[in-house]
């Protein structure tokens, strides 16, 4: 979030006619009389430089990829599930003044409240300031809260119930800390590029898996009354050049992700549809551009796809400092700006606030659009029951994101003024460690086992065990367990990636400490341990490994958000490659070439290339423990010793090289144009789809994972429930949106700062400084298609899309049997292959269902898959609707991975 290029920031502001901040500048309302800088126009931003530097070849994608306009912004309150919340919201918003409506849509400024994001209140009607807090795996900056396993680890569990339980615990902790809006879960990035820095914040590289896990997480979070946020909308697939002023090579222009209509729908929009259907009350737009329009100002994606086609009823908030234009973003569907100010250094300068007040007062923006913004926010508040003061008391939140002191400035960003208690140190963890550990256990994937696992307690008395690698973790390492701000360095044992999605570990069970207490069954049954946790001590490791009966090699690979560059590895956001970091390959070879019984444990943010050592004879087992959170070591030993039978499955493919994933999988590390262009030419062929289409043998396929038992999937029985039909039912009629009685605009005097008003430094207010600020000398240039009313999408009509898309077309029953001698769980995975359709290319197969089945030895259960219309449809770009092929046969497979599919049936 922090901007590092101060000189470039000054140029950016000057380039659009905005004076740079004065020394010790204060919030002064609208900066310049006669200029309504709500229109901080993207156009000016895009043309800051006149020439592309010679070393940047001009890419022509920017001319070929243009995002169309979609106006007006659809109204909320059109589905039955939200009807009562919108009725209440209309009544409350109808009583608000214009300034109060502006206040609840505008963040009050970076560090001006106790949370990472805070809205202004509507005091006269009793609507509170809302607290928005990161993030997807815990409560960022909060004390006494659980550090959950990352979403990638949740995806590796393939367990819907666990995803819900993790979300419920996460939501409960947020509510008890006084948080209204939790900034998670993440389903963007999807993972198009395996080296993408924030892939670990999502659940895996398949849209069905991502959507299923995200939906359960949302239901869990919102079961506690906390508003969940589906993010980052949309096509935010790499960190390099994701936003302005973060990258010195392209400081003025964020990257444009360019995707065609079908790719957008079948891959990247799919999990957002699942999230909306799950009732998510907030969506966060992303930093990047989509088809050369900034995502937070893109009317096609926010108005057309999200609010119309997907029927989203909640509010759209911006990512932090992501808004490049005020008026166009609001017309394009943005409902709330975060954290309020344009750039982190700009204190009280905002595109909303006073500028939004002025835009409505001078009729640049219709008051109806402001009413709708406020309605969506208030309706979400009612929908989650946050008007219940017994659950959401007025004195919340009870922690500060900016200091660990009990008492500090009330407005930390001001650095002056009133002081008070900002931290109450409320412990909200309860027994959530149990769910956290279970997620870490089930999210651990065993990919190789030559029979060494599970280890047997009591069989290593007097034997020598070597534990090697910094990733094993040592509790006496300086900074443990919270190395570097926002976990922005690869030190110690890896429990999470870095960035705004990280948290403070309340404690961390290292693998080293857990292993040292895991082998013995009694006090006199302790092996002799040797631990070397410096990867660079190669000669010592080689010498030590020669004398061990059993060795562990711990390696990792880290990445995170683009505002951090790891001082240890040099990784800046996205990984530079897929190899283990900190000399991991060398470490493993040094161990296994001298120790014939080596177990390798990998903690990583995504796929890691294992080719240098995976087939060496000393490698007896390989365990991929992903990002396990605080329970890391405790969870690991449960798997190693068979306390729990491993049941994790890969939520991505592990190739033998980065090249195996295809040209579209490579991060753009250097700008290819003034506005970097990233075109998704591979279409639907990402991860396992690319491997399948091009007959590439992976090292370990998507969905793969070993067990200490064996399973059989057999006896398919297909029952057709509905006839095949090309299109879903006609879009159903939706409820009329609530209306707020029209009223004249207030007098100018009512929106000015009250006489004698004492301002807080850098705080963002809705007030205008003087009447002349309300007017501009020239008209606003609206989008060329602003007056063209778009037809409603036939694919819409309900939350998540046309309700007919969820009609069950067929049911497939299979039997899953545990054929081994220990209890365990198998994930039955259903894949669909489409019939041939002239002119349409399909992947070989796509995931369309999964069920995790727990079985005792010898037990069998029947599993029934409901196959819905949506899962048998592709996006027809001509009809602008989901189309089911009605000629030819679908092929349906069920198995234990994307390439182990013993059940095959035609439909």
């Amino acid at each position: 979030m922090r901007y590092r290029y101060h000189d470039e920031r000054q140029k950016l502001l000057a380039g659009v006619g905005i004076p740079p901040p004065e020394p010790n500048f204060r919030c002064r309302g609208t900066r310049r009389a006669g200029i309504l800088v709500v229109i901080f126009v993207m156009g000016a931003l895009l043309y800051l430089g006149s020439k592309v530097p010679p070393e940047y070849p001009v890419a022509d994608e920017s001319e070929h990829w243009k995002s169309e306009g979609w106006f007006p912004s659809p109204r909320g309150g059109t589905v039955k599930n939200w009807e009562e919340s919108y009725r209440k919201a209309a009544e409350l918003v109808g009583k608000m003044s214009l300034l109060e409506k502006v206040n609840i849509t505008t963040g009050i400024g970076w560090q001006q409240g106790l949370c990472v994001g805070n809205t202004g209140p509507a005091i006269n009607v009793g609507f509170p300031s809302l607290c928005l807090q990161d993030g997807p795996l815990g409560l960022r900056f909060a004390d006494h809260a659980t550090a959950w396993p990352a979403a990638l680890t949740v995806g590796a569990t393939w367990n819907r119930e666990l995803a819900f339980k993790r979300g419920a615990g996460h939501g409960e902790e947020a509510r008890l800390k006084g948080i209204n809006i939790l900034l998670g879960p993440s389903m963007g990035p999807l993972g198009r590029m395996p080296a993408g820095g924030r892939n670990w914040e999502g659940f895996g590289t398949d849209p069905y898996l991502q959507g299923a896990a995200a939906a359960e997480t949302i239901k869990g979070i919102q079961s506690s009354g906390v508003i969940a946020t589906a993010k980052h909308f949309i096509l935010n697939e790499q960190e390099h050049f994701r936003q302005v002023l973060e990258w010195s090579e392209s400081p003025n222009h964020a990257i444009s992700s360019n995707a065609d209509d079908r790719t957008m729908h079948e891959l990247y929009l799919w999990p957002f549809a699942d999230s909306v259907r799950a009732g998510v009350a907030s969506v966060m737009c992303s930093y990047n551009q989509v088809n050369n329009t900034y995502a937070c100002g893109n009317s096609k994606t926010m108005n057309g796809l999200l609010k119309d086609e997907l029927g989203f009823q909640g509010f759209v908030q911006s990512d932090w400092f992501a808004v490049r234009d005020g008026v166009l973003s609001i017309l394009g569907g943005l409902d709330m700006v975060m954290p309020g100010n344009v750039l982190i250094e700009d204190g009280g300068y905002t595109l909303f606030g006073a500028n939004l007040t002025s835009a409505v007062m001078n009729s640049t923006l219709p008051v109806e659009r402001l009413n709708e913004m406020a309605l969506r926010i208030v309706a979400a508040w009612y929908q989650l029951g946050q008007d219940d003061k017994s659950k959401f008391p007025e004195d919340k939140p009870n922690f500060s994101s900016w200091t660990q002191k009990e008492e500090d400035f009330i407005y930390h960003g001001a650095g002056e003024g009133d002081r008070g208690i900002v931290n109450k140190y409320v412990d909200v963890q309860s027994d959530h460690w149990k769910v956290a550990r279970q997620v870490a256990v089930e999210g651990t994937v065993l990919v190789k086992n030559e029979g060494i696992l599970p280890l047997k307690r009591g069989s290593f008395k007097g034997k020598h065990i070597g534990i090697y690698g910094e990733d094993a973790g040592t509790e006496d390492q300086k900074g443990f367990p919270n190395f570097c701000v926002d976990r922005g360095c690869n030190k110690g044992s890896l429990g999470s990636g870095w960035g705004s999605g990280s948290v403070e570990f309340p404690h961390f069970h290292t693998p080293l400490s857990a292993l040292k207490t895991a082998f013995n069954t009694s006090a006199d049954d302790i092996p002799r341990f040797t631990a070397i946790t410096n990867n660079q001590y190669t000669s010592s490791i080689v010498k030590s490994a020669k004398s061990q009966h059993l060795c562990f090699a711990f390696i990792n690979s880290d990445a995170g958000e683009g505002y951090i560059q790891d001082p240890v590895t040099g990784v800046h956001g996205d990984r530079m490659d897929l190899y283990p970091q900190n000399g991991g390959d060398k470490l493993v070879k040094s161990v296994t070439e001298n120790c014939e019984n080596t177990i390798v444990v990998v903690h990583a943010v995504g796929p890691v290339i294992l080719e240098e050592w995976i087939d060496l004879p000393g490698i007896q087992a390989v365990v991929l423990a992903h990002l396990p959170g605080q329970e890391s070591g405790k969870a690991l030993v449960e798997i190693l010793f068979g306390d729990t039978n491993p049941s994790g499955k890969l939520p991505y493919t592990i190739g033998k090289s980065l090249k195996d994933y295809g040209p579209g999988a490579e991060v753009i590390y250097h700008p290819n144009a003034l506005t970097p262009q990233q075109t998704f030419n591979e279409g639907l062929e990402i991860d396992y789809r690319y491997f399948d289409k091009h007959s590439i043998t992976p090292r370990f396929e998507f969905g793969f994972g070993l067990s200490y038992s064996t399973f059989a999937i057999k006896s398919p029985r297909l029952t057709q429930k509905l006839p095949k039909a090309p299109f879903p039912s006609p879009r159903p009629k939706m409820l009329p949106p609530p209306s707020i009685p029209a009223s004249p605009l207030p007098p100018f005097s009512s929106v000015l700062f009250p006489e004698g008003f004492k301002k807080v430094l850098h705080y963002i207010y809705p007030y205008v400084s003087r009447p002349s600020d309300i007017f501009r000398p020239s008209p606003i240039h609206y989008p060329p298609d602003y007056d063209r009313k778009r037809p409603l999408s036939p694919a819409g009509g309900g939350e998540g899309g046309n309700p007919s898309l969820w009609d069950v077309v067929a049911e497939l029953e299979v039997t899953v049997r545990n054929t081994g001698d220990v209890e365990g769980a198998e994930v039955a995975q259903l894949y669909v292959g489409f019939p041939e359709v002239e002119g349409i290319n399909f992947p070989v197969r796509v995931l369309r269902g999964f069920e995790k089945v727990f079985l005792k030895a010898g037990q069998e259960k029947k599993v029934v898959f409901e196959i819905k219309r949506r899962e048998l449809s592709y996006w027809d770009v001509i009809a602008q609707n989901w189309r089911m092929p009605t000629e030819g046969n679908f092929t349906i497979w069920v198995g234990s991975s994307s390439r182990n599919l013993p059940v095959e049936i035609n439909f």
Side-chain angles (χ1 to χ4, degrees):
M1 288 184 185
R2 295 187 179 277
Y3 298 90
R4 299 175 294 113
Y5 304 105
H6 180 74
D7 292 341
E8 296 294 346
R9 183 184 65 81
Q10 303 284 64
K11 294 176 185 176
L12 179 67
L13 294 180
V16 291
I18 303 171
E22 302 151 357
N24 296 320
F25 61 97
R26 296 174 179 267
C27 174
R28 301 189 301 166
T30 307
R31 287 286 180 97
R32 305 179 85 181
I35 298 182
L36 182 60
V37 284
V38 179
I39 198 89
F40 182 74
V41 209
M42 183 187 318
L45 206 74
L46 290 176
Y47 294 103
L48 276 177
S50 58
K51 294 181 180 179
V52 179
E55 65 270 24
Y56 300 165
V58 178
D60 62 2
E61 281 88 346
S62 60
E63 295 302 317
H64 293 310
W65 296 92
K66 296 295 182 183
S67 187
E68 64 180 341
W70 206 105
F71 303 100
S73 188
R75 303 280 301 278
T78 55
V79 299
K80 190 68 177 177
N81 289 346
W82 286 71
E83 184 178 20
E84 180 61 15
S85 295
Y86 266 91
R87 185 194 65 76
K88 293 178 181 177
E91 183 177 343
L92 192 69
V93 172
K95 299 175 182 177
M96 289 184 185
S97 67
L98 185 150
L99 292 176
E100 287 180 313
K101 296 171 191 174
V102 170
N103 227 23
I104 70 171
T105 62
T106 304
I108 62 177
W110 180 243
Q111 297 189 342
Q112 293 294 63
L114 296 178
C115 301
V116 295
N118 309 268
T119 60
I123 296 174
N124 292 330
V125 297
F127 189 79
S129 169
L130 300 181
C131 162
L132 296 83
Q133 194 72 13
D134 295 306
L137 63 74
L139 307 181
R140 186 187 184 198
F141 299 141
D143 59 279
H144 297 91
T146 302
W148 300 89
L152 184 71
T153 312
V154 178
T157 71
W158 293 64
N159 188 326
R160 288 181 173 88
E161 182 182 357
L162 264 187
F164 177 89
K165 287 181 177 180
R166 172 181 173 270
H170 193 182
E172 181 184 36
E173 292 190 8
R175 182 182 64 79
L176 293 174
K177 281 292 186 181
I179 294 165
N180 299 95
I181 302 161
L182 195 56
L183 305 180
S186 172
M187 58 233 55
L190 177 62
R192 172 182 182 256
M193 290 158 285
R198 300 184 79 177
N199 292 350
W200 59 274
E201 293 186 38
F203 301 92
T205 57
D206 179 86
Y208 184 93
L209 176 62
Q210 182 96 293
E216 293 303 320
T217 301
I218 287 162
K219 292 174 186 176
I221 290 171
Q222 296 194 163
S223 69
S224 296
V226 172
I227 293 170
T229 303
K231 67 180 189 180
H232 307 85
F233 191 74
I234 192 167
L235 304 186
N236 186 181
E237 292 294 312
Q238 73 168 54
E239 291 303 285
H240 277 72
F241 319 122
R242 64 176 183 151
Q243 65 168 320
V244 299
L245 300 181
E246 190 171 79
W247 302 88
S248 59
E249 288 185 271
S250 183
N252 298 330
H253 308 280
I255 194 169
S256 178
S257 297
N258 305 323
D260 63 74
D261 194 23
R262 187 178 171 209
T263 299
M264 174 71 85
H265 279 82
E266 293 188 34
L267 281 184
Y268 302 98
L269 190 64
W270 184 289
F272 284 97
D274 287 327
S275 300
V276 173
R277 184 166 175 81
V280 73
S282 178
V283 169
M284 179 190 290
C285 55
S286 53
Y287 289 118
N288 56 289
Q289 299 187 56
V290 176
N291 294 346
N292 289 285
T293 298
Y294 278 91
C296 286
N298 195 307
S299 62
K300 172 61 178 178
T301 57
M302 291 191 291
N303 287 340
L305 297 182
L306 182 62
K307 292 185 175 180
D308 173 48
E309 185 180 316
L310 299 189
F312 175 56
Q313 301 295 303
F315 62 93
V316 180
Q317 57 169 292
S318 72
D319 205 338
W320 269 230
F321 311 103
V323 178
R324 302 273 71 84
D325 179 285
V327 165
L328 296 187
S329 292
I330 292 170
L331 295 176
L334 184 65
D335 301 305
M336 177 190 291
V337 67
M338 277 290 132
N341 34 319
V342 178
L343 302 174
I344 199 167
E345 302 100 330
D346 285 340
Y349 180 67
T350 181
L351 300 177
F352 279 42
N355 282 311
L356 177 51
T357 301
S358 296
V360 175
M361 290 295 292
N362 66 23
S363 298
T364 297
L365 281 172
V367 68
E368 291 79 12
R369 177 67 188 109
L370 176 60
N371 288 342
E372 173 66 12
M373 295 159 67
L375 268 174
R376 284 180 172 268
I377 294 166
V378 176
W381 183 74
Y382 277 121
Q383 182 76 358
L384 274 296
Q386 294 191 4
D387 54 323
D388 183 348
K389 293 184 180 179
S390 68
K391 295 181 178 179
F392 291 87
E394 293 180 353
D395 61 348
K396 54 84 181 173
N398 53 41
F399 72 100
S400 171
S401 298
W402 319 119
T403 180
Q404 296 179 358
K405 300 175 184 177
E406 180 178 12
E407 186 176 309
D408 195 24
F409 292 115
I410 300 297
Y411 304 101
H412 185 86
E416 62 182 33
D418 296 339
R419 301 177 68 93
I421 294 175
V422 295
N423 278 307
K424 298 181 180 179
Y425 311 111
V426 177
D427 190 336
V428 297
Q429 296 170 92
S430 185
D431 61 352
H432 295 156
W433 65 268
K434 294 178 181 178
V435 174
R437 185 177 299 179
Q438 188 63 25
V439 172
V441 168
E442 291 193 33
T444 298
V445 182
L446 179 64
V447 294
K448 182 175 182 176
N449 185 19
E450 299 297 324
I452 195 172
L453 296 179
L455 300 171
K456 185 178 179 181
R457 290 187 175 89
S459 63
F460 290 88
K461 181 178 180 180
K463 293 186 177 181
H464 295 268
I465 295 175
I467 302 172
Y468 305 103
E470 183 178 351
D471 188 67
T474 54
E475 296 178 6
D476 59 355
Q477 190 173 0
K478 185 178 180 181
F480 175 85
N482 293 304
F483 301 105
C484 302
V485 175
D486 286 339
R487 312 294 74 77
C489 59
N490 191 347
K491 290 184 178 181
S493 188
L494 188 64
S496 80
W498 71 66
S500 62
S502 66
V503 297
E504 305 297 309
F505 288 104
H507 63 263
F508 186 83
H509 296 298
T510 68
L512 177 59
S513 63
L515 281 171
K516 284 186 173 181
T517 59
F519 280 85
N520 56 304
T521 56
S522 63
D524 63 349
D525 185 30
I526 300 175
R528 299 175 183 178
F529 292 101
T530 298
I532 300 176
T533 56
N534 189 318
N535 290 15
Q536 309 310 314
Y537 288 2
T538 304
S539 59
S540 298
I541 291 170
V542 168
K543 182 179 179 180
S544 171
K546 291 178 179 179
S547 62
Q548 308 301 320
H549 296 97
L550 176 66
C551 296
F552 293 89
F554 284 86
I555 60 176
N556 66 31
S557 186
D558 197 7
E561 198 168 351
Y563 68 90
I564 290 176
Q565 184 171 19
D566 182 355
V568 177
T569 64
V571 170
H572 192 174
D574 310 300
R575 289 186 286 171
M576 299 303 293
D577 53 50
L578 300 184
Y579 296 109
Q581 295 169 358
N582 295 331
D585 282 335
K586 183 178 180 181
L587 172 76
V588 172
K589 289 191 290 184
S590 297
V591 173
T592 196
E593 288 172 357
N594 297 282
C595 180
E596 62 183 10
N597 293 311
T598 298
I599 298 170
V600 181
V601 178
V602 184
H603 292 110
V605 293
V608 175
I609 303 300
L610 313 174
E611 294 307 298
E612 284 200 31
W613 45 263
I614 186 69
D615 290 325
L616 292 178
I619 302 294
Q620 299 300 312
V622 179
V623 178
L624 307 185
H626 291 110
L627 301 172
Q630 67 183 38
E631 300 298 313
S632 176
K634 296 285 189 180
L636 179 63
V637 298
E638 283 199 30
I639 293 294
L640 295 177
F641 288 88
D643 301 327
T644 301
N645 195 344
S647 62
K649 303 285 187 175
L650 291 176
Y652 50 75
T653 299
I654 296 181
K656 296 179 180 179
S657 69
L658 176 58
K659 186 178 180 181
D660 285 353
Y661 294 85
E666 298 194 20
V667 171
I668 295 176
Y669 295 106
H670 301 284
N672 54 12
L674 181 65
T675 298
Q677 301 290 310
Q678 184 178 71
T679 300
F680 294 18
N681 288 319
E682 73 286 346
L684 306 179
E685 295 177 13
I686 69 168
D687 198 75
Y688 72 90
R689 301 167 180 228
Y690 185 86
F691 282 76
D692 290 348
K693 195 76 168 183
H694 298 272
S695 301
I696 298 170
T697 301
R699 170 56 66 175
F700 299 113
E701 71 269 22
F702 177 83
F704 175 78
L706 298 175
S707 169
Y708 299 147
S709 190
T710 55
F711 300 89
I713 302 174
K714 58 185 181 178
S715 305
R717 189 174 65 141
L718 183 73
T719 304
Q720 187 165 346
K721 296 292 186 179
L722 291 174
K724 294 178 184 178
F727 294 109
S729 301
R731 174 174 174 145
K733 185 177 181 180
M734 303 184 78
L735 299 176
S739 60
I740 296 176
S743 59
L745 291 173
F748 294 155
S749 59
S750 69
V751 299
L752 301 178
F753 274 100
E755 187 175 349
F757 186 89
K758 184 179 179 181
K759 302 175 187 176
V760 173
L761 181 65
H762 302 329
Y763 190 98
I764 294 173
Y765 296 98
Y767 297 110
V768 177
S769 295
R770 47 193 174 271
S772 59
D773 288 346
I774 295 174
F775 299 100
R776 57 179 285 118
S778 58
I780 296 293
H781 295 287
Y782 293 97
D785 45 4
Y786 177 62
D787 293 324
R788 177 188 172 193
K789 187 173 182 179
R790 294 282 178 172
L792 299 179
S793 170
E799 289 183 276
N802 191 322
S804 176
L805 292 170
W806 278 266
D807 291 344
V808 177
V809 176
E811 288 183 350
L812 178 63
E813 178 185 281
V814 297
T815 299
V816 182
R817 181 178 179 83
N818 185 340
T819 57
D821 55 6
V822 293
E823 67 179 18
E826 177 62 294
V827 179
Q829 304 167 36
L830 182 147
Y831 294 83
V832 170
F834 283 74
E836 290 187 9
V837 176
E838 185 178 358
I840 303 296
N841 291 317
F842 293 105
V844 174
R845 63 182 62 91
V846 292
L847 180 71
R848 286 296 185 257
F850 65 88
E851 292 294 334
K852 192 164 194 175
V853 188
F854 291 84
L855 298 166
K856 295 180 180 179
Q859 184 184 15
E860 69 178 30
K861 289 182 180 179
K862 294 189 183 300
V863 174
V864 178
F865 293 97
E866 292 185 336
I867 305 173
K868 303 176 181 66
R869 163 178 286 281
R870 179 182 182 230
E871 291 147 12
L872 298 173
S873 300
Y874 67 95
W875 182 253
D876 186 325
V877 299
I878 303 300
Q880 286 294 290
N881 205 347
W882 291 97
R883 187 183 195 111
M884 180 193 297
T886 55
E887 302 294 330
N889 289 325
F890 290 91
T891 303
I892 300 174
W893 296 273
V894 181
S896 60
S897 76
S898 63
R899 293 203 170 188
N900 182 17
L901 300 165
V903 169
E904 180 177 339
I905 191 168
N906 290 327
F907 168 55

